[in-house]
Amino acid sequence: MLLFATGGTTWFAFHPLTPINEQDHPVWNPLLYTLDQMLPVVTLGHDDMWQARGASQWVTVVLIAVGWTLATTVAAGISRGLHRER
């Protein structure tokens, strides 16, 4: 997960996204945007403020998939730990 967070932050540091609504004057933060994509249950508010296009859109899709895979794996591990037979 740390590898994907670092990769996403690096990508978006060199490929900033365009704001959806420029009148809001949002501040671009590649780390917060990356974490917002990777954490499926928590929202940091950055995913609704920026529009990804081209290759950045595919990087966003990969980060979302990695986040959901991690969340599912953690949930399965917790569920299995709670239902262990002794």
Side-chain angles (χ1 to χ4, degrees):
M1 180 165 172
L2 186 60
L3 178 70
F4 282 99
T6 303
T9 301
T10 303
W11 172 266
F12 292 120
F14 291 104
H15 303 91
L17 303 181
T18 57
I20 292 175
N21 185 0
E22 292 189 24
Q23 282 98 16
D24 291 341
H25 304 289
V27 177
W28 175 243
N29 188 322
L31 175 62
L32 288 179
Y33 182 79
T34 300
L35 291 177
D36 204 7
Q37 300 308 313
M38 292 182 68
L39 301 172
V41 181
V42 179
T43 181
L44 302 175
H46 282 268
D47 56 348
D48 297 334
M49 295 172 38
W50 304 100
Q51 183 175 26
R53 294 182 180 159
S56 292
Q57 185 176 14
W58 289 105
V59 171
T60 300
V61 169
V62 168
L63 292 174
I64 292 170
V66 166
W68 275 107
T69 303
L70 177 68
T72 304
T73 303
V74 169
I78 290 172
S79 174
R80 183 169 183 239
L82 294 175
H83 292 99
R84 246 183 222 179
E85 291 184 32
R86 292 181 185 210

Coordinates of all heavy atoms in Angstrom, one line a residue:
M1 N 0.8 -1.2 0.0 CA 0.0 0.0 0.0 C 0.9 1.3 0.0 O 0.6 2.2 -0.7 CB -0.9 0.0 1.2 CG -1.8 1.2 1.2 SD -3.1 1.0 2.4 CE -3.8 2.6 2.4
L2 N 2.0 1.2 0.8 CA 2.9 2.3 0.8 C 3.5 2.6 -0.6 O 3.7 3.8 -1.0 CB 4.0 2.1 1.8 CG 4.9 3.2 2.1 CD1 4.2 4.4 2.6 CD2 6.0 2.8 3.1
L3 N 3.8 1.5 -1.3 CA 4.3 1.7 -2.6 C 3.3 2.4 -3.6 O 3.7 3.3 -4.3 CB 4.7 0.3 -3.2 CG 5.2 0.3 -4.6 CD1 6.6 0.9 -4.7 CD2 5.3 -1.1 -5.1
F4 N 2.1 2.0 -3.5 CA 1.0 2.7 -4.3 C 0.8 4.1 -3.9 O 0.6 5.0 -4.7 CB -0.3 1.9 -4.3 CG -0.2 0.6 -5.2 CD1 0.0 -0.6 -4.6 CD2 -0.4 0.7 -6.6 CE1 0.1 -1.7 -5.5 CE2 -0.4 -0.4 -7.4 CZ -0.1 -1.6 -6.8
A5 N 0.8 4.3 -2.6 CA 0.6 5.7 -2.1 C 1.8 6.6 -2.6 O 1.6 7.8 -3.0 CB 0.5 5.7 -0.6
T6 N 3.0 6.1 -2.5 CA 4.2 6.9 -3.0 C 4.1 7.1 -4.5 O 4.4 8.2 -4.9 CB 5.5 6.1 -2.6 OG1 5.5 5.9 -1.2 CG2 6.7 6.9 -3.0
G7 N 3.8 6.0 -5.2 CA 3.7 6.1 -6.7 C 2.6 7.1 -7.1 O 2.8 7.9 -8.0
G8 N 1.4 7.0 -6.4 CA 0.3 7.9 -6.8 C 0.7 9.4 -6.5 O 0.4 10.3 -7.2
T9 N 1.3 9.6 -5.3 CA 1.7 11.0 -4.9 C 2.7 11.5 -5.9 O 2.6 12.7 -6.3 CB 2.2 11.0 -3.5 OG1 1.2 10.5 -2.6 CG2 2.6 12.4 -3.0
T10 N 3.7 10.7 -6.3 CA 4.7 11.2 -7.2 C 4.1 11.5 -8.6 O 4.4 12.5 -9.2 CB 5.8 10.1 -7.4 OG1 6.3 9.8 -6.1 CG2 6.9 10.5 -8.3
W11 N 3.2 10.6 -9.0 CA 2.5 10.8 -10.3 C 1.8 12.2 -10.3 O 1.9 13.0 -11.2 CB 1.6 9.7 -10.7 CG 0.7 10.0 -11.9 CD1 -0.5 10.5 -11.9 CD2 1.1 9.8 -13.3 NE1 -0.9 10.7 -13.2 CE2 0.1 10.2 -14.1 CE3 2.3 9.3 -13.9 CZ2 0.1 10.2 -15.4 CZ3 2.3 9.2 -15.2 CH2 1.2 9.7 -16.0
F12 N 0.9 12.4 -9.3 CA 0.1 13.5 -9.2 C 0.9 14.8 -8.9 O 0.4 15.9 -9.2 CB -1.1 13.3 -8.3 CG -2.1 12.3 -8.8 CD1 -2.3 11.2 -8.0 CD2 -2.7 12.5 -10.0 CE1 -3.2 10.3 -8.5 CE2 -3.6 11.6 -10.5 CZ -3.9 10.5 -9.7
A13 N 2.1 14.7 -8.3 CA 2.9 15.8 -8.1 C 3.4 16.4 -9.4 O 3.5 17.6 -9.5 CB 4.1 15.5 -7.2
F14 N 3.6 15.5 -10.4 CA 4.1 16.0 -11.7 C 3.0 16.2 -12.7 O 3.2 16.7 -13.8 CB 5.2 15.0 -12.2 CG 6.4 15.1 -11.5 CD1 6.8 14.1 -10.6 CD2 7.3 16.1 -11.6 CE1 7.9 14.1 -9.8 CE2 8.5 16.2 -10.8 CZ 8.8 15.2 -10.0
H15 N 1.8 15.7 -12.4 CA 0.6 15.8 -13.3 C -0.6 16.3 -12.5 O -1.5 15.5 -12.2 CB 0.3 14.4 -13.9 CG 1.4 13.8 -14.6 ND1 2.3 13.0 -14.1 CD2 1.8 13.9 -15.9 CE1 3.2 12.6 -15.0 NE2 2.9 13.2 -16.1
P16 N -0.6 17.6 -12.1 CA -1.7 18.1 -11.3 C -3.0 18.0 -12.1 O -3.0 18.2 -13.3 CB -1.3 19.5 -11.0 CG -0.1 19.8 -11.8 CD 0.4 18.6 -12.3
L17 N -4.1 17.8 -11.3 CA -5.4 17.8 -12.0 C -6.0 19.1 -12.0 O -5.7 20.1 -11.3 CB -6.3 16.8 -11.1 CG -5.8 15.4 -11.0 CD1 -6.8 14.6 -10.2 CD2 -5.5 14.7 -12.3
T18 N -7.0 19.2 -12.9 CA -7.8 20.5 -13.0 C -8.9 20.5 -12.1 O -9.6 19.5 -11.9 CB -8.3 20.7 -14.5 OG1 -9.1 19.6 -14.8 CG2 -7.1 20.8 -15.4
P19 N -9.2 21.6 -11.4 CA -10.3 21.7 -10.5 C -11.7 21.7 -11.3 O -11.8 22.2 -12.4 CB -10.1 23.0 -9.8 CG -9.2 23.8 -10.6 CD -8.4 22.9 -11.4
I20 N -12.6 21.0 -10.6 CA -14.0 21.0 -11.2 C -14.6 22.4 -11.2 O -15.2 22.8 -12.2 CB -14.8 19.9 -10.5 CG1 -14.3 18.5 -10.8 CG2 -16.3 20.0 -10.9 CD1 -14.9 17.4 -10.1
N21 N -14.5 23.0 -10.1 CA -15.1 24.4 -9.9 C -13.9 25.3 -9.5 O -13.5 25.3 -8.3 CB -16.2 24.3 -8.9 CG -16.9 25.7 -8.8 OD1 -16.6 26.6 -9.5 ND2 -17.9 25.7 -7.9
E22 N -13.5 26.1 -10.4 CA -12.4 27.0 -10.1 C -12.7 28.2 -9.2 O -11.8 28.8 -8.6 CB -11.8 27.6 -11.5 CG -11.1 26.5 -12.3 CD -10.3 27.0 -13.4 OE1 -9.9 28.2 -13.4 OE2 -10.1 26.2 -14.4
Q23 N -14.0 28.5 -9.1 CA -14.4 29.6 -8.2 C -14.2 29.2 -6.7 O -14.1 30.1 -5.9 CB -15.9 29.9 -8.4 CG -16.1 30.8 -9.6 CD -16.6 29.9 -10.8 OE1 -17.0 28.8 -10.6 NE2 -16.5 30.5 -12.0
D24 N -14.1 27.9 -6.4 CA -13.8 27.5 -5.0 C -12.4 27.7 -4.6 O -12.0 27.6 -3.4 CB -14.2 26.0 -4.8 CG -15.7 25.8 -4.9 OD1 -16.5 26.8 -4.7 OD2 -16.1 24.7 -5.1
H25 N -11.5 27.9 -5.6 CA -10.1 28.1 -5.4 C -9.5 26.9 -4.5 O -8.9 27.2 -3.5 CB -9.7 29.4 -4.7 CG -10.3 30.6 -5.5 ND1 -9.7 31.0 -6.6 CD2 -11.3 31.5 -5.2 CE1 -10.4 32.0 -7.1 NE2 -11.3 32.3 -6.3
P26 N -9.7 25.7 -5.0 CA -9.1 24.6 -4.2 C -7.6 24.5 -4.3 O -7.0 25.0 -5.2 CB -9.7 23.3 -4.9 CG -10.0 23.8 -6.3 CD -10.3 25.3 -6.2
V27 N -7.0 24.0 -3.2 CA -5.5 23.9 -3.1 C -5.2 22.5 -3.5 O -5.7 21.5 -2.8 CB -5.0 24.3 -1.7 CG1 -3.5 24.1 -1.6 CG2 -5.4 25.7 -1.4
W28 N -4.3 22.3 -4.4 CA -3.9 21.0 -4.9 C -2.9 20.3 -3.9 O -1.9 20.9 -3.6 CB -3.3 21.1 -6.3 CG -2.7 19.8 -6.8 CD1 -1.4 19.5 -7.1 CD2 -3.5 18.6 -7.1 NE1 -1.3 18.2 -7.5 CE2 -2.5 17.6 -7.5 CE3 -4.8 18.2 -6.9 CZ2 -2.9 16.3 -7.9 CZ3 -5.2 16.9 -7.3 CH2 -4.2 16.0 -7.7
N29 N -3.2 19.1 -3.5 CA -2.3 18.4 -2.6 C -2.3 16.9 -3.1 O -3.3 16.2 -2.9 CB -2.8 18.4 -1.2 CG -1.8 17.8 -0.2 OD1 -1.2 16.8 -0.5 ND2 -1.7 18.4 0.9
P30 N -1.2 16.5 -3.8 CA -1.2 15.2 -4.4 C -1.3 14.0 -3.4 O -1.9 13.0 -3.7 CB 0.2 15.1 -5.1 CG 0.8 16.4 -5.0 CD 0.0 17.3 -4.1
L31 N -0.7 14.2 -2.2 CA -0.8 13.2 -1.2 C -2.2 13.0 -0.7 O -2.7 11.8 -0.6 CB 0.1 13.5 0.0 CG 0.0 12.5 1.2 CD1 0.4 11.1 0.8 CD2 0.8 13.0 2.3
L32 N -2.9 14.1 -0.4 CA -4.3 13.9 0.1 C -5.2 13.4 -1.0 O -6.1 12.6 -0.7 CB -4.8 15.3 0.5 CG -4.3 15.8 1.8 CD1 -4.8 17.2 2.2 CD2 -4.5 14.8 3.0
Y33 N -5.0 13.7 -2.3 CA -5.8 13.2 -3.4 C -5.6 11.7 -3.5 O -6.5 10.9 -3.6 CB -5.5 13.9 -4.7 CG -6.3 13.4 -5.8 CD1 -7.6 13.8 -6.0 CD2 -5.8 12.4 -6.7 CE1 -8.4 13.3 -7.0 CE2 -6.6 11.9 -7.7 CZ -7.9 12.3 -7.9 OH -8.7 11.8 -8.9
T34 N -4.3 11.3 -3.4 CA -4.0 9.8 -3.5 C -4.6 9.1 -2.4 O -5.2 8.0 -2.6 CB -2.4 9.7 -3.5 OG1 -1.9 10.3 -4.6 CG2 -2.1 8.2 -3.6
L35 N -4.5 9.6 -1.1 CA -5.1 8.9 0.0 C -6.6 8.9 -0.1 O -7.2 7.9 0.3 CB -4.6 9.6 1.3 CG -3.2 9.4 1.7 CD1 -2.8 10.2 2.9 CD2 -2.8 7.9 1.8
D36 N -7.2 9.9 -0.6 CA -8.6 10.0 -0.8 C -9.1 8.9 -1.8 O -10.2 8.3 -1.6 CB -9.1 11.3 -1.3 CG -10.5 11.7 -0.9 OD1 -11.1 10.9 -0.2 OD2 -11.0 12.7 -1.3
Q37 N -8.3 8.6 -2.7 CA -8.7 7.5 -3.7 C -8.5 6.1 -3.1 O -9.2 5.2 -3.4 CB -7.8 7.7 -5.0 CG -8.0 9.0 -5.7 CD -9.5 9.3 -5.9 OE1 -10.3 8.5 -6.4 NE2 -9.8 10.5 -5.6
M38 N -7.4 6.0 -2.3 CA -7.1 4.7 -1.7 C -7.9 4.3 -0.5 O -8.0 3.1 -0.2 CB -5.6 4.6 -1.4 CG -4.7 4.7 -2.6 SD -3.0 4.6 -2.2 CE -2.9 2.9 -1.6
L39 N -8.5 5.2 0.2 CA -9.3 4.9 1.4 C -10.8 4.9 1.0 O -11.4 5.9 1.0 CB -9.0 5.9 2.5 CG -7.5 5.9 2.9 CD1 -7.3 7.1 3.9 CD2 -7.1 4.6 3.5
P40 N -11.4 3.7 0.7 CA -12.7 3.7 0.2 C -13.8 4.1 1.2 O -14.9 4.5 0.9 CB -12.9 2.2 -0.2 CG -12.0 1.4 0.6 CD -10.8 2.4 0.8
V41 N -13.6 3.9 2.5 CA -14.6 4.2 3.5 C -14.5 5.6 4.0 O -15.5 6.2 4.4 CB -14.4 3.2 4.7 CG1 -15.5 3.4 5.8 CG2 -14.5 1.8 4.2
V42 N -13.3 6.2 3.9 CA -13.1 7.6 4.4 C -13.0 8.5 3.3 O -12.4 8.2 2.2 CB -11.8 7.6 5.2 CG1 -11.5 9.0 5.7 CG2 -11.8 6.6 6.4
T43 N -13.6 9.7 3.4 CA -13.5 10.7 2.3 C -12.8 11.9 2.9 O -13.2 12.4 4.0 CB -14.9 11.1 1.7 OG1 -14.7 12.1 0.7 CG2 -15.9 11.6 2.8
L44 N -11.8 12.4 2.2 CA -11.1 13.6 2.6 C -11.5 14.8 1.8 O -11.0 15.9 2.0 CB -9.6 13.4 2.4 CG -9.0 12.2 3.1 CD1 -7.5 12.0 2.7 CD2 -9.1 12.3 4.6
G45 N -12.5 14.6 0.9 CA -13.1 15.7 0.1 C -12.3 16.1 -1.1 O -12.8 17.0 -1.9
H46 N -11.2 15.5 -1.4 CA -10.4 15.9 -2.6 C -10.9 15.2 -3.9 O -10.7 15.7 -5.0 CB -9.0 15.6 -2.4 CG -8.3 16.6 -1.5 ND1 -7.7 17.7 -2.1 CD2 -8.2 16.7 -0.2 CE1 -7.2 18.4 -1.1 NE2 -7.5 17.8 0.1
D47 N -11.6 14.0 -3.7 CA -12.1 13.3 -4.9 C -13.2 14.1 -5.6 O -13.4 13.9 -6.8 CB -12.5 11.9 -4.6 CG -13.6 11.9 -3.5 OD1 -13.8 12.9 -2.9 OD2 -14.1 10.8 -3.3
D48 N -13.9 14.9 -4.9 CA -15.0 15.7 -5.5 C -14.6 17.0 -6.1 O -15.4 17.7 -6.8 CB -16.1 15.9 -4.5 CG -16.8 14.7 -4.0 OD1 -16.7 13.7 -4.8 OD2 -17.3 14.7 -2.9
M49 N -13.4 17.4 -5.8 CA -12.9 18.7 -6.2 C -12.0 18.7 -7.5 O -11.8 19.8 -8.1 CB -12.1 19.4 -5.1 CG -12.9 19.6 -3.9 SD -12.0 20.1 -2.4 CE -10.7 21.2 -3.0
W50 N -11.5 17.6 -7.9 CA -10.6 17.5 -9.0 C -11.1 16.6 -10.1 O -11.7 15.6 -9.8 CB -9.2 17.0 -8.5 CG -8.7 17.9 -7.4 CD1 -8.8 17.6 -6.1 CD2 -8.2 19.2 -7.5 NE1 -8.3 18.7 -5.4 CE2 -7.9 19.7 -6.2 CE3 -7.8 20.0 -8.6 CZ2 -7.3 20.9 -6.0 CZ3 -7.2 21.2 -8.4 CH2 -7.0 21.7 -7.1
Q51 N -10.7 16.9 -11.3 CA -11.1 16.1 -12.5 C -9.9 15.5 -13.1 O -9.0 16.2 -13.6 CB -11.9 17.0 -13.5 CG -12.4 16.2 -14.7 CD -13.2 17.1 -15.6 OE1 -13.0 18.3 -15.6 NE2 -14.1 16.5 -16.3
A52 N -9.9 14.1 -13.1 CA -8.7 13.4 -13.7 C -9.1 13.1 -15.2 O -10.2 12.7 -15.5 CB -8.5 12.1 -12.9
R53 N -8.1 13.3 -16.0 CA -8.2 13.0 -17.5 C -7.0 12.3 -18.0 O -5.9 12.4 -17.4 CB -8.4 14.3 -18.3 CG -9.6 15.1 -18.0 CD -9.7 16.3 -18.8 NE -10.9 17.0 -18.5 CZ -11.1 18.3 -18.8 NH1 -10.1 19.0 -19.4 NH2 -12.2 18.9 -18.5
G54 N -7.2 11.5 -19.0 CA -6.1 10.8 -19.7 C -5.5 9.7 -18.8 O -6.2 9.0 -18.1
A55 N -4.1 9.7 -18.7 CA -3.4 8.7 -17.9 C -3.7 8.9 -16.4 O -3.7 7.9 -15.7 CB -1.9 8.8 -18.2
S56 N -3.9 10.1 -16.0 CA -4.2 10.4 -14.6 C -5.5 9.7 -14.2 O -5.7 9.3 -13.0 CB -4.3 11.9 -14.3 OG -3.0 12.5 -14.4
Q57 N -6.5 9.6 -15.1 CA -7.7 8.9 -14.8 C -7.5 7.4 -14.6 O -8.0 6.8 -13.6 CB -8.7 9.1 -16.0 CG -10.1 8.5 -15.7 CD -11.0 8.9 -16.9 OE1 -10.6 9.3 -18.0 NE2 -12.3 8.7 -16.6
W58 N -6.6 6.8 -15.3 CA -6.3 5.4 -15.1 C -5.5 5.2 -13.8 O -5.6 4.2 -13.2 CB -5.5 4.9 -16.3 CG -6.5 4.8 -17.5 CD1 -6.5 5.6 -18.6 CD2 -7.5 3.8 -17.6 NE1 -7.5 5.2 -19.4 CE2 -8.2 4.1 -18.9 CE3 -8.0 2.8 -16.9 CZ2 -9.3 3.4 -19.3 CZ3 -9.1 2.1 -17.3 CH2 -9.7 2.4 -18.5
V59 N -4.6 6.1 -13.5 CA -3.9 6.0 -12.2 C -4.9 6.1 -11.1 O -4.8 5.3 -10.1 CB -2.8 7.1 -12.1 CG1 -2.2 7.2 -10.7 CG2 -1.7 6.9 -13.2
T60 N -5.9 7.0 -11.2 CA -6.9 7.1 -10.2 C -7.7 5.8 -10.0 O -8.0 5.3 -8.9 CB -7.9 8.2 -10.5 OG1 -7.1 9.4 -10.5 CG2 -9.0 8.3 -9.5
V61 N -8.0 5.1 -11.2 CA -8.8 3.9 -11.1 C -7.9 2.8 -10.5 O -8.5 2.0 -9.7 CB -9.1 3.4 -12.6 CG1 -9.6 2.0 -12.6 CG2 -10.2 4.4 -13.1
V62 N -6.6 2.7 -10.7 CA -5.8 1.7 -10.1 C -5.7 2.0 -8.6 O -5.8 1.0 -7.8 CB -4.4 1.7 -10.7 CG1 -3.4 0.9 -9.9 CG2 -4.4 1.2 -12.1
L63 N -5.6 3.2 -8.2 CA -5.6 3.5 -6.7 C -6.9 3.1 -6.0 O -6.9 2.6 -4.9 CB -5.3 5.0 -6.5 CG -3.9 5.5 -6.9 CD1 -3.8 7.0 -6.8 CD2 -2.8 4.8 -6.1
I64 N -8.0 3.4 -6.7 CA -9.3 3.0 -6.1 C -9.4 1.4 -6.0 O -9.8 0.9 -5.0 CB -10.4 3.5 -7.0 CG1 -10.5 5.0 -6.8 CG2 -11.8 2.9 -6.5 CD1 -11.4 5.7 -7.8
A65 N -8.9 0.7 -7.0 CA -9.0 -0.7 -7.0 C -8.1 -1.3 -5.9 O -8.4 -2.2 -5.2 CB -8.6 -1.3 -8.4
V66 N -6.9 -0.7 -5.7 CA -6.0 -1.1 -4.7 C -6.6 -0.9 -3.3 O -6.5 -1.7 -2.4 CB -4.6 -0.4 -4.8 CG1 -3.8 -0.6 -3.6 CG2 -3.9 -0.9 -6.0
G67 N -7.2 0.3 -3.1 CA -7.9 0.6 -1.9 C -9.0 -0.4 -1.5 O -9.1 -0.9 -0.4
W68 N -9.8 -0.7 -2.5 CA -10.9 -1.7 -2.2 C -10.4 -3.1 -2.0 O -10.9 -3.8 -1.1 CB -11.9 -1.7 -3.4 CG -12.9 -0.6 -3.2 CD1 -13.0 0.6 -4.0 CD2 -14.0 -0.5 -2.3 NE1 -14.0 1.3 -3.5 CE2 -14.7 0.7 -2.5 CE3 -14.4 -1.4 -1.2 CZ2 -15.7 1.1 -1.7 CZ3 -15.5 -1.0 -0.5 CH2 -16.1 0.2 -0.7
T69 N -9.3 -3.4 -2.7 CA -8.7 -4.8 -2.4 C -8.1 -4.8 -1.0 O -8.3 -5.8 -0.3 CB -7.6 -5.0 -3.5 OG1 -8.1 -5.0 -4.8 CG2 -6.9 -6.4 -3.3
L70 N -7.5 -3.8 -0.6 CA -6.9 -3.8 0.7 C -8.1 -3.8 1.8 O -8.0 -4.5 2.8 CB -6.1 -2.5 0.9 CG -5.5 -2.4 2.4 CD1 -4.5 -3.5 2.6 CD2 -4.9 -1.0 2.5
A71 N -9.1 -3.0 1.6 CA -10.2 -3.0 2.5 C -10.9 -4.3 2.6 O -11.3 -4.8 3.7 CB -11.2 -1.9 2.1
T72 N -11.1 -5.0 1.5 CA -11.7 -6.3 1.5 C -10.8 -7.3 2.2 O -11.3 -8.2 3.0 CB -12.0 -6.8 0.0 OG1 -12.8 -5.7 -0.6 CG2 -12.7 -8.1 0.0
T73 N -9.5 -7.3 2.0 CA -8.6 -8.2 2.6 C -8.6 -8.0 4.1 O -8.6 -8.9 4.9 CB -7.2 -8.0 2.1 OG1 -7.2 -8.2 0.7 CG2 -6.2 -9.0 2.7
V74 N -8.6 -6.7 4.6 CA -8.6 -6.5 6.0 C -9.9 -6.9 6.6 O -9.9 -7.5 7.7 CB -8.4 -4.9 6.3 CG1 -8.7 -4.6 7.7 CG2 -7.0 -4.6 5.9
A75 N -11.0 -6.7 6.0 CA -12.3 -7.1 6.5 C -12.4 -8.6 6.6 O -13.0 -9.2 7.5 CB -13.5 -6.5 5.6
A76 N -11.9 -9.3 5.6 CA -11.9 -10.8 5.6 C -11.0 -11.3 6.7 O -11.4 -12.3 7.4 CB -11.4 -11.3 4.2
G77 N -9.9 -10.7 6.9 CA -9.0 -11.1 8.0 C -9.7 -10.9 9.4 O -9.6 -11.7 10.3
I78 N -10.3 -9.7 9.6 CA -11.0 -9.5 10.8 C -12.2 -10.5 11.0 O -12.3 -11.0 12.1 CB -11.5 -8.0 10.9 CG1 -10.3 -7.1 11.0 CG2 -12.5 -7.8 12.0 CD1 -10.7 -5.6 10.8
S79 N -12.9 -10.7 10.0 CA -14.0 -11.6 10.1 C -13.6 -13.0 10.4 O -14.2 -13.7 11.2 CB -14.8 -11.6 8.7 OG -15.8 -12.6 8.7
R80 N -12.5 -13.5 9.8 CA -12.0 -14.8 10.1 C -11.4 -14.9 11.5 O -11.6 -15.9 12.2 CB -10.8 -15.1 9.1 CG -10.3 -16.5 9.3 CD -9.4 -16.9 8.1 NE -9.0 -18.2 8.3 CZ -7.7 -18.6 8.4 NH1 -6.7 -17.8 8.4 NH2 -7.4 -19.9 8.6
G81 N -10.8 -13.8 12.0 CA -10.3 -13.8 13.3 C -11.4 -13.9 14.4 O -11.2 -14.4 15.4
L82 N -12.6 -13.3 14.0 CA -13.7 -13.3 15.0 C -14.4 -14.6 15.0 O -15.1 -15.0 16.0 CB -14.7 -12.2 14.6 CG -14.1 -10.8 14.8 CD1 -15.2 -9.8 14.3 CD2 -13.8 -10.5 16.3
H83 N -14.3 -15.4 13.9 CA -15.1 -16.7 13.8 C -14.2 -17.9 13.9 O -14.5 -19.0 13.5 CB -15.8 -16.7 12.5 CG -16.9 -15.7 12.4 ND1 -16.8 -14.5 11.8 CD2 -18.2 -15.8 12.9 CE1 -17.9 -13.9 11.9 NE2 -18.8 -14.6 12.5
R84 N -13.0 -17.8 14.5 CA -12.2 -18.9 14.7 C -12.7 -19.9 15.7 O -13.2 -19.6 16.7 CB -10.8 -18.4 15.2 CG -9.7 -18.6 14.3 CD -8.4 -18.2 14.8 NE -7.8 -17.5 13.7 CZ -6.6 -17.0 13.7 NH1 -6.0 -17.0 14.8 NH2 -6.1 -16.4 12.7
E85 N -12.6 -21.2 15.3 CA -13.1 -22.2 16.2 C -11.9 -22.6 17.1 O -10.8 -22.7 16.7 CB -13.5 -23.4 15.4 CG -14.8 -23.2 14.7 CD -15.4 -24.4 14.0 OE1 -15.1 -25.5 14.6 OE2 -16.0 -24.3 13.0
R86 N -12.2 -22.9 18.4 CA -11.2 -23.3 19.3 C -11.4 -24.8 19.7 O -12.3 -25.3 19.8 CB -11.1 -22.4 20.5 CG -10.7 -21.1 20.1 CD -10.7 -20.2 21.3 NE -10.4 -18.8 20.8 CZ -9.8 -18.0 21.6 NH1 -9.4 -18.3 22.7 NH2 -9.6 -16.8 21.1

